[in-house]
């Protein structure tokens, strides 16, 4: 019986269909693997034209490593054995570029079952593979991110509360290695009381119902110790809404809770500090009496009188610091009293800067002080105004990150003077700009009222004292992290400046005209006393700008110049003195606490004539004075009386 023949029109339609497919490479191989047909899709995919590829072995599509392992032949063998074989792997185009291919090879048999060849269909899945690789890489990066977080415990639970993942933060906070906890129920982290109250189960039920819950409470570490935890539990659901498990994030909030407990006892601490302040005043009282006796008695020696005055000033300062502990009560009862006098504002600034300098130096801040050259006078209590400025400087120093910048700027108008303390520290939120001045207010920004005492009284006292002087204090800040500026506005004095004492005659034992420029007032004043006792005429200045101005008239033979001064340091002051006719030829001595060879080399290279290390030895000072006398060609006058 004759076999039925295929309809030529059907074969033609099938051939046209195969030729029209452009997204799949469809071609035939003979039993040995040589290409015998080639469609448009194969040409587009692999780059070979029909006349270039027909008759060649299909291994030309495989990378060298696949050919070396005999993989093309293995594919044909498997297709013969199974009838159909599917694979994915790298294949080559005509230009040598690679693409990721899905390949289906089907064995073709004749009417009698003999192998007549193979049909091969190839798809380009490069984009899909790139997406899958990108997804895998993203998942890996996310896993590495979660695993590397140490400040948060991040782990997964299955729907029954069994731990299924464990990151480094979970190990750090809870103490378990992954192998010790994965597979166990998360109730291991709860206290026996919470377990008895079924708190773990209730947490999961609430998270499932609400999607997410947050809680705080005591949790248990592996070693049995407790910590105060903030816990967030989130239900994880699949695309169909089925529960896949729970994500749990835990933070150790023990330190924050400890601080809250400390704050809760602040009232008792405040009462204790008030009692302590009263007790501290007891030993200060006889010291004050002793100073008063010295003030009433006549002291022949100016050095002793100066020492008495130094003790008086420092005792007053310590007494006022102690009184700060009691000023809260005085504010509410209106019992703060001012002892006003005509003050040179630069003296208040110098005293305030001197007091806070150790804190500023300890935090490695740069302090700039900018004041007008002409003196500005105010009517006020020197200690209280210093207290205002000190509070603002301490506030800036403590709440500016180490190595910050603090600027103290003094600017005068017709009737007022503005003192601005500006820092580049934590800043203040807009809603806190007024509340920080409230009693006991400790703002979240860090520039709060508690800067000086920790009790939230510093800025309250500063504003009250400024207002008692007829002034104001205002705070400005662009926002958290952007620094802040506190501006004190005080009325200028309508009184004229005190008349200067007439200069002493130059013939005072044949001495020199010596100027001391040092921002430490007690250091400057005591040095001046020594120089006067040695028979010299002496002028004193407490900052570089004032020293430069005073030198123009005084025309000193020698200038002792401190290096570490705010605003204009000793090096800049020296430069300006050299351009000043009154001091162009003065003998300039660097006077500093730094005295190693590198420090001396630096001052020498900067143009100083000599270097004195604090505390200054008397012999070294006398030697310098004699050298200057010799340079000036002066006869040595009689020594001090």
């Amino acid at each position: 019986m004759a076999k039925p023949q295929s309809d030529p029109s059907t074969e033609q339609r099938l051939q046209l269909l195969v030729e029209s497919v452009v997204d799949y490479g469809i071609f035939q191989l003979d039993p040995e693997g040589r290409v015998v047909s080639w469609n448009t899709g194969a040409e587009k995919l692999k780059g070979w034209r029909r006349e270039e590829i027909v008759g060649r072995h299909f291994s030309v599509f495989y990378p060298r490593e696949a050919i070396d392992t005999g993989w093309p032949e293995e594919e044909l063998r498997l297709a013969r054995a199974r009838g159909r074989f599917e694979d994915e792997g790298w294949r080559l185009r005509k230009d040598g570029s690679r693409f990721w291919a899905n390949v289906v090879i089907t064995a073709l048999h004749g009417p009698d079952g003999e192998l007549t060849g193979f049909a091969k269909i190839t798809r380009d899945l490069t984009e899909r593979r790139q997406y899958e690789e990108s997804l895998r890489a993203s998942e890996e990066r996310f896993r590495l991110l979660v695993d590397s977080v140490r400040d948060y415990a991040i782990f997964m639970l299955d729907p029954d509360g069994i731990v299924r993942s464990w990151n480094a933060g979970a190990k750090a906070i809870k103490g378990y290695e992954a192998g010790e906890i994965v597979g166990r129920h998360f109730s291991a982290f709860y206290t026996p009381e919470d377990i008895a109250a079924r708190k773990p189960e209730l947490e999961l039920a609430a998270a499932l119902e609400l999607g997410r819950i947050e809680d705080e409470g005591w949790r248990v570490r592996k070693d049995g110790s407790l910590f105060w935890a903030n816990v967030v539990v989130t239900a994880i659901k699949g695309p169909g809404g089925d529960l896949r498990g729970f994500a749990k994030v835990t933070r150790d909030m023990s330190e924050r809770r400890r601080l809250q407990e400390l704050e809760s006892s602040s009232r008792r601490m405040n009462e204790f500090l008030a009692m302590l302040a009263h007790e501290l005043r007891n030993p200060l009282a006889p010291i004050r009496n002793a100073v008063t006796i010295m003030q009433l008695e006549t002291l022949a020696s100016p050095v002793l009188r100066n020492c008495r005055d130094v003790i008086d000033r420092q005792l007053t300062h310590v007494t006022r610091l102690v009184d700060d502990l009691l000023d809260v009560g005085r504010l509410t009862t209106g019992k703060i009293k001012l002892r006003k006098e005509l003050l040179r504002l630069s003296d208040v600034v110098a005293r305030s800067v001197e007091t806070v300098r150790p804190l500023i130096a300890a935090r490695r801040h740069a302090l700039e002080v900018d004041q007008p050259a002409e003196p500005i006078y105010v009517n006020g209590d020197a200690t209280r105004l210093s207290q205002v400025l000190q509070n603002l400087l301490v506030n800036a120093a403590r709440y500016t990150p180490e190595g910050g910048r603090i600027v103290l700027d003094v600017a005068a108008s017709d009737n007022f003077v503005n003192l601005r303390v500006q820092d580049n520290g934590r800043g203040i939120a807009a809603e806190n700009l007024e509340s920080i001045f409230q009693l006991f207010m400790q703002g979240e920004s860090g520039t709060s009222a508690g800067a000086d005492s920790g009790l939230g009284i510093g800025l309250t006292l500063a504003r009250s004292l400024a207002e008692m002087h007829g002034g104001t204090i205002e705070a400005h800040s662009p926002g958290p992290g952007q620094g802040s500026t506190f501006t004190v506005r005080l009325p200028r004095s309508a009184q004229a400046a005190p008349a200067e004492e007439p200069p002493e005659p130059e013939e005072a034992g044949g001495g020199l005209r010596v100027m001391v420029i040092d921002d430490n007032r007690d250091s400057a004043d005591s040095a001046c006393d020594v120089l006067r006792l040695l028979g010299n005429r002496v002028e004193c200045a407490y900052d570089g700008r004032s020293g430069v101005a005073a030198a123009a008239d005084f025309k000193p033979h020698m200038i002792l110049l401190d290096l570490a001064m705010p605003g204009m340091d000793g090096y800049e002051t020296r430069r300006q003195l050299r351009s000043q006719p009154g001091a162009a030829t003065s003998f300039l001595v660097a006077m500093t606490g730094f005295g190693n060879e590198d420090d001396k080399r630096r001052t020498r290279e900067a143009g100083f004539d000599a270097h004195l290390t604090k505390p200054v030895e008397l012999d070294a000072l006398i030697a310098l004075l004699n050298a200057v006398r010799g340079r000036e060609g002066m006869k040595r006058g009689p020594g001090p009386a």
Side-chain angles (χ1 to χ4, degrees), residues 2-264:
K3 294 181 180 179
Q5 299 294 319
S6 300
D7 184 353
S9 62
T10 301
E11 292 181 354
Q12 290 174 356
R13 287 196 297 271
L14 180 60
Q15 182 65 29
L16 289 173
L17 175 63
V18 171
E19 286 295 331
S20 66
V21 174
V22 295
D23 293 328
Y24 290 79
I26 303 175
F27 54 97
Q28 285 187 320
L29 307 175
D30 66 14
E32 285 74 34
R34 290 185 292 270
V35 178
V36 297
S37 72
W38 195 249
N39 81 328
T40 303
E43 179 177 337
K44 177 184 176 183
L45 177 63
K46 297 178 180 287
W48 301 87
R49 296 194 304 275
R50 182 178 288 103
E51 61 269 20
E52 294 176 318
I53 196 64
V54 170
R56 298 185 64 175
H57 195 269
F58 85 113
S59 60
V60 72
F61 308 138
Y62 289 74
R64 170 53 57 187
E65 59 269 21
I67 295 174
D68 291 343
T69 61
W71 184 245
E73 291 79 7
E74 179 65 12
E75 283 188 339
L76 297 185
R77 187 189 70 78
L78 292 172
R80 280 195 302 270
R82 302 174 183 175
R84 178 183 181 278
F85 175 74
E86 184 173 358
D87 184 35
E88 288 190 9
W90 292 111
R91 298 294 186 268
L92 297 180
R93 297 186 176 92
K94 176 185 176 182
D95 62 6
S97 62
R98 294 189 176 206
F99 67 98
W100 188 261
N102 173 272
V103 177
V104 177
I105 302 176
T106 303
L108 302 177
H109 297 88
D112 297 327
E114 73 278 13
L115 181 69
T116 60
F118 302 91
K120 190 168 184 182
I121 301 175
T122 303
R123 283 188 298 162
D124 183 356
L125 299 181
T126 305
E127 290 187 2
R128 190 195 74 179
R129 178 176 173 81
Q130 289 174 342
Y131 171 76
E132 292 173 347
E133 288 295 323
S134 175
L135 183 61
R136 279 194 292 270
S138 176
E139 292 174 345
E140 179 65 15
R141 286 194 298 270
F142 181 73
R143 185 187 65 80
L144 290 174
L145 173 64
V146 171
D147 286 347
S148 64
V149 171
R150 294 189 57 84
D151 294 330
Y152 293 78
I154 305 174
F155 53 99
M156 291 291 298
L157 307 176
D158 68 12
D160 297 321
I162 304 300
V163 178
R164 293 305 181 192
S165 71
W166 197 248
N167 79 327
K171 175 186 174 183
I173 293 174
K174 296 179 180 290
Y176 291 94
E177 297 286 347
E180 298 174 313
I181 196 62
V182 171
R184 294 178 58 184
H185 195 270
F186 83 113
S187 59
F189 312 136
Y190 289 75
T191 64
E193 296 80 9
D194 285 343
I195 293 175
R198 301 185 65 251
K199 186 168 184 176
E201 293 83 353
L202 294 175
E203 274 190 355
L204 296 189
L208 180 59
E209 178 183 356
L210 302 175
R212 175 188 180 276
I213 65 162
E214 183 172 358
D215 183 35
E216 289 196 4
W218 293 111
R219 296 295 185 269
V220 183
R221 295 187 176 94
K222 176 187 174 182
D223 61 7
S225 62
L226 298 178
F227 68 100
W228 188 261
N230 173 274
V231 178
V232 177
V233 183
T234 304
I236 306 299
K237 296 183 179 181
D242 55 310
L243 179 65
R244 300 289 181 84
F246 300 90
K248 191 165 185 182
V249 180
T250 301
R251 286 188 296 165
D252 185 353
M253 307 296 286
S254 302
E255 181 65 16
R256 190 193 71 177
R257 180 174 174 84
R258 186 186 69 83
L259 293 176
Q260 290 174 340
E261 290 173 350
L262 287 176
E263 290 173 359
S264 68

Side-chain angles (χ1 to χ4, degrees), residues 353-390:
V353 169
E354 179 183 341
T355 301
V356 301
R357 186 176 300 283
L359 174 61
I360 291 174
R363 295 184 62 81
R364 299 194 295 276
H365 295 318
L367 173 63
E368 298 179 21
V369 180
D370 187 11
Q371 300 187 77
E374 67 279 4
I376 300 173
Y377 292 88
V378 296
N379 280 305
D381 184 315
T383 301
R384 289 302 189 180
L385 288 180
S386 295
Q387 185 180 4
V388 172
L389 197 51
Q390 288 164 23

Side-chain angles (χ1 to χ4, degrees), residues 16 47 116 122 151 206 230 245 261-262 304 319 387 409 442 452 461 475 531 559 584 635:
L16 289 173
T116 60
T122 303
D151 294 330
N230 173 274
E261 290 173 350
L262 287 176
L304 291 179
T319 302
Q387 185 180 4
D409 173 71
Q442 297 180 331
D452 61 322
L461 286 173
L531 289 164
I559 301 175
K635 295 181 180 180

Side-chain angles (χ1 to χ4, degrees), residues 359 363 365 393-401 406 426 446 450-454:
L359 174 61
R363 295 184 62 81
H365 295 318
L393 289 170
V394 168
N395 201 57
R398 288 191 175 179
Y399 298 107
T400 296
I406 301 171
R426 298 184 187 178
D452 61 322
S453 66

Side-chain angles (χ1 to χ4, degrees), residues 611-629:
H611 184 114
L612 281 179
T613 304
K614 293 179 178 179
V616 177
E617 294 289 340
L618 182 60
D619 290 343
L621 180 60
I622 292 174
L624 278 180
L625 291 169
N626 289 335
V628 175
R629 285 194 183 97

Side-chain angles (χ1 to χ4, degrees), residues 65 134 153 198 235 265 310 489 502 601 638:
E65 59 269 21
S134 175
R198 301 185 65 251
S265 63
V310 168
R489 182 177 173 87
R601 176 185 53 78

